[in-house]
Amino acid sequence: MKLDPIFTVKNNQLYKIDDNSQVDPSTLKQLQINWSTVELADEQYNEEYLAGLRDQLKAMEDAGEFAVLVPVVDKPLETAEQTELFINAFNHTARRVKDCASVAGFELPEALISKGFEAGTPAADFMETLAIKHAQYVYFVKAAQAPKNIATY
C-alpha cells in the first residue's frame, strides 16, 4: 500500500500539499525510536514494539496529528556494515508503519548527515532506500546547512 504524500519541502520549509500552507515542523510530534529497540540482534526485529508503534501512529492519524520518526543511534555506527544494518532496521520500521498517514517522515541523525548528503553518503543511502517503497516521506535535520529538499527545524 503506497500512500500519497501529504507534505513537501521547498527551500527547507515544510508545506502541506493539499493547500500549499506552510507548516511549522515543531508542531509535529517527534517520536524517538532507539535502534537497539527496533533491531534486537543483527537483522532480528522487535515486531511487538513495531506493532505498538503502528497502533500509536494510527491513533494519531485518527486524531489528525502528524509525527516525525526520530531514529536514535544507540549502537556503534562506524562501519559500512553497521550503517547498512541501521538503514535496514529503519527501512523495516517504515514497512511496519507503511499504512500510517500520520508519519510525515524521518529525522536524519547527526551520525548520518555528518558525511554530507551527496550520492553514496549514509544520509543519501538512507533516504534512497526508504524512498523505494515510501516516497511520501520528507526528511528533517536540525543542522543549519541542509540541501533544499530537506526540512529544517
Side-chain angles (χ1 to χ4, degrees):
M1 165 185 219
K2 289 192 177 193
L3 296 176
D4 291 327
I6 296 172
F7 299 99
T8 190
V9 177
K10 302 175 198 170
N11 296 320
N12 301 111
Q13 302 299 311
L14 186 65
Y15 291 86
K16 231 176 170 185
I17 291 173
D18 65 352
D19 64 2
N20 202 35
S21 61
Q22 190 169 352
V23 177
D24 179 356
S26 69
T27 64
L28 307 177
K29 185 171 184 175
Q30 294 183 16
L31 298 179
Q32 293 193 347
I33 304 172
N34 290 342
W35 178 15
S36 64
T37 302
V38 170
E39 186 179 47
L40 303 172
D42 290 358
E43 298 182 9
Q44 293 181 3
Y45 304 115
N46 186 341
E47 299 299 341
E48 184 177 332
Y49 171 79
L50 294 172
L53 176 64
R54 183 187 176 280
D55 291 344
Q56 181 181 5
L57 292 166
K58 281 302 207 179
M60 289 180 68
E61 183 177 323
D62 292 342
E65 299 171 338
F66 295 96
V68 175
L69 303 183
V70 181
V72 176
V73 179
D74 62 347
K75 300 195 294 188
L77 186 59
E78 299 159 356
T79 67
E81 293 78 18
Q82 291 166 334
T83 300
E84 183 177 352
L85 287 169
F86 177 82
I87 292 170
N88 290 343
F90 284 96
N91 190 43
H92 186 80
T93 300
R95 277 197 302 269
R96 291 297 174 252
V97 300
K98 69 182 176 192
D99 65 334
C100 299
S102 60
V103 179
F106 281 79
E107 180 178 313
L108 298 173
E110 179 62 35
L112 294 186
I113 65 173
S114 65
K115 295 183 171 97
F117 296 92
E118 296 77 29
T121 62
D125 290 347
F126 184 93
M127 292 184 288
E128 289 169 9
T129 299
L130 268 64
I132 292 169
K133 298 234 176 179
H134 312 286
Q136 77 274 18
Y137 293 147
V138 296
Y139 297 93
F140 299 83
V141 295
K142 292 182 180 175
Q145 299 293 335
K148 293 194 182 316
N149 63 335
I150 302 206
T152 58
Y153 65 111

